Amino acid sequence: GVDEGDTAAQWFSTYLNRECRLVRHAGRRPTDPKYADGFETGFADGFGFLLASTSSLEDLNKRYDEKILMNRFRPNIVVSGAPPWAEDSWAGMEIQPNGKEGTPIPLLSVKPCSRCQMPCIEQETAIKGKEPTELLKKLRSGRRLKTAKESWETEVFFGWNLVCPASNLSPEKSQELYGQSGIICRVGDVLQVTNTRELFP
């Protein structure tokens, strides 16, 4: 990462009421070509977008005595209003700016997100436990979901990795479609499923 300087650091430190620095990614790196060839990401783990559903988290929480918060899973797109685990069948989507005219933002769902031990760490206290991994082993392992990929049998899944085809547009075409500020998603935007899959990969 590249430090963005003292002025930015001071602004964010004041706004967040804690000392911090702003950094930007110094370059881009390709996503896994097995799932999304020709796409790039920055600081994100493997893909630029991670979608999670509030109803799926609610279904998980029904089986646990304590409430697991969504921040454990670190998604950057959170949807509500769909049945639990409906996102498993979503192959293509569009985000339509809520109540605004504009070009929909296309998204492709390319890979279920296998989870490491990070979601077992409570964000507020940094205390590590066994959940939600143990719950996910019972509900969302590759074996339980009958994945066709042998290497996924013992993995556990929550959320889906996405890519945005519009991110590969030329700067001129992007500005033509999305305006000077580029592609922007906001709280309240509407996600529309445009294409579905029948089986877990």
Side-chain angles (χ1 to χ4, degrees), residues 85-102:
W85 315 113
E87 63 273 20
D88 288 347
S89 68
W90 301 347
M93 292 151 274
E94 290 181 342
I95 294 178
Q96 180 64 52
N98 188 18
K100 302 177 182 72
E101 293 295 324

Side-chain angles (χ1 to χ4, degrees), residues 7 11-12 15 59 65 71 76 97 163 171:
T7 302
W11 190 93
F12 278 100
Y15 185 79
D59 185 61
D65 294 336
N71 65 12
N76 52 11
V163 294

Side-chain angles (χ1 to χ4, degrees), residues 3 16 25-26 28 45 50 54 65 72 75 86 92 139 147 154 160 174 186 195:
D3 191 298
L16 297 172
H25 201 276
R28 308 287 288 174
D45 181 23
L50 174 61
T54 57
D65 294 336
R72 298 271 198 105
L139 295 173
T147 178
T154 58
W160 279 79
S174 181
R186 295 178 174 89
N195 191 20

Side-chain angles (χ1 to χ4, degrees), residues 108-144:
L108 299 175
S109 178
V110 296
K111 179 184 174 293
C113 186
S114 58
R115 309 311 307 217
C116 63
Q117 292 297 308
M118 287 298 291
C120 293
I121 299 172
E122 188 177 276
Q123 299 291 301
E124 292 75 20
T125 64
I127 295 173
K128 182 179 177 182
K130 293 184 178 179
E131 298 297 357
T133 297
E134 293 303 312
L135 276 173
L136 291 171
K137 283 180 183 177
K138 296 173 186 174
L139 295 173
R140 303 281 301 168
S141 71
R143 187 175 292 115
R144 295 271 310 184

